[in-house]
Amino acid sequence: RKYGYEIAFNEKQYKIPFAKLKKNWETKGYVRRIDPDIPLLNTIYTQYTKKYTGPLVRDEKWWKQRVLKDNYHIAIAYSDEHSPEGYIIFEVKEKLFTVVEIAYRSLSGLRLLMEFISNHDSMAEHAEFVVPENDNMPLLLDEPRFETKVDPYFMARVVDVIGFLKQYPTTVGRESISIFVEDSFLSETTGVYYVNPTTDGLTCTVIKTEGKAEIHCTIQQFTSMFLGYKRPRELAALGL
């Protein structure tokens, strides 16, 4: 934090007994194990991660050196029309089915992968998942009470506030707003930012002094709000 970073993303972990995974998943399609196919995996991953803030854009080197380096098993969920709808990267060891990564482009893909996992009940007693914080998988289970843990995942920092705001997605018709951002480590960032939504996106001007502004925050809270980690009201309730 002393360098302007703030927690921006959490990850959630499930440990689910196989007895709670067994159900009629009402699937249509099939699942097949495959050898590593980076273009196929990356296509599904890219579509899946558009729903979330924080996932990295992966190149081939990242896939090889970080995601697939440990020779995990890979399975693809296909629709009846043979369209790839999701994938799972996993290993089974010592009665534990570890989902290293799961991604899907449709509910059908998720159901197929969950059924695939549940069919390994003779090999494992629990399944472990790492998923985004706002994952809603437990709503699909008949018994959603199981071990769930949320951990702070990694921090982020906005270095170029005005450049960041000019690229920020917005809705035309929102009111203009002024934000005083204080950056004790990078003084060039400190200033009042006047933000105005237009049909071409946000226009933004800055005055490098502490002038009148509707919102006052540090660069940490600015990052937290604009990356969607915390709502302004949540921070205000804590005096931040």
Side-chain angles (χ1 to χ4, degrees):
R1 285 197 175 117
K2 68 180 181 180
Y3 299 118
Y5 284 82
E6 185 52 82
I7 292 291
F9 312 105
N10 292 337
E11 69 175 13
K12 188 158 57 176
Q13 301 174 28
Y14 300 139
K15 187 174 183 180
I16 309 176
F18 265 83
K20 297 185 178 183
L21 288 172
K22 294 299 289 185
K23 59 173 288 184
N24 179 8
W25 285 98
E26 300 175 357
T27 57
K28 293 183 179 180
Y30 58 97
V31 177
R32 293 287 183 271
R33 294 193 186 188
I34 67 164
D35 293 326
D37 184 338
I38 291 175
L40 174 58
L41 295 173
N42 195 60
T43 297
I44 298 171
Y45 169 83
T46 301
Q47 293 187 13
Y48 172 73
T49 54
K50 285 182 178 180
K51 299 180 290 184
Y52 302 104
T53 302
L56 300 175
V57 175
R58 295 175 177 175
D59 58 16
E60 184 176 357
K61 182 179 178 181
W62 187 272
W63 277 100
K64 288 181 177 179
Q65 296 185 0
R66 300 298 295 270
V67 184
L68 303 175
K69 63 182 178 64
D70 292 319
N71 296 317
Y72 294 123
H73 302 295
I74 305 171
I76 302 290
Y78 294 92
S79 68
D80 284 336
E81 292 74 33
H82 315 296
S83 171
E85 297 297 320
Y87 70 78
I88 183 173
I89 302 174
F90 69 97
E91 68 174 355
V92 184
K93 186 185 298 184
E94 298 177 356
K95 293 293 183 178
L96 182 65
F97 189 108
T98 301
V99 179
V100 178
E101 184 166 283
I102 184 171
Y104 45 89
R105 56 205 287 186
S106 67
L107 176 58
S108 175
L110 172 59
R111 288 182 177 276
L112 283 163
L113 293 172
M114 295 299 288
E115 181 181 64
F116 174 79
I117 296 168
S118 69
N119 288 338
H120 287 76
D121 57 331
S122 63
M123 302 171 63
E125 297 174 354
H126 291 83
E128 283 192 345
F129 296 74
V130 176
V131 296
E133 184 182 14
N134 56 339
D135 175 82
N136 289 315
M137 190 185 299
L139 297 177
L140 294 177
L141 301 178
D142 296 331
E143 172 51 79
R145 290 175 293 185
F146 45 79
E147 184 178 328
T148 302
K149 183 170 65 172
V150 177
D151 288 326
Y153 187 29
F154 62 89
M155 304 179 87
R157 190 200 204 284
V158 175
V159 178
D160 177 7
V161 173
I162 196 165
F164 175 87
L165 287 171
K166 286 181 177 179
Q167 297 182 64
Y168 198 78
T170 186
T171 303
V172 177
R174 296 286 179 90
E175 294 182 4
S176 301
I177 197 168
S178 56
I179 309 170
F180 173 71
V181 178
E182 180 183 5
D183 192 333
S184 59
F185 181 75
L186 190 63
S187 59
E188 296 91 333
T189 305
T190 298
V192 180
Y193 294 83
Y194 297 93
V195 183
N196 181 43
T198 70
T199 54
D200 297 322
L202 288 177
T203 60
C204 184
T205 57
V206 60
I207 298 176
K208 295 294 186 176
T209 59
E210 184 174 356
K212 292 183 178 180
E214 297 160 282
I215 293 178
H216 285 239
C217 62
T218 65
I219 189 65
Q220 287 93 339
Q221 279 91 61
F222 178 88
T223 301
S224 181
M225 290 187 291
F226 278 84
L227 290 184
Y229 183 68
K230 291 297 178 185
R231 301 287 297 172
R233 290 185 185 275
E234 293 180 89
L235 298 177
L238 295 172
L240 299 174

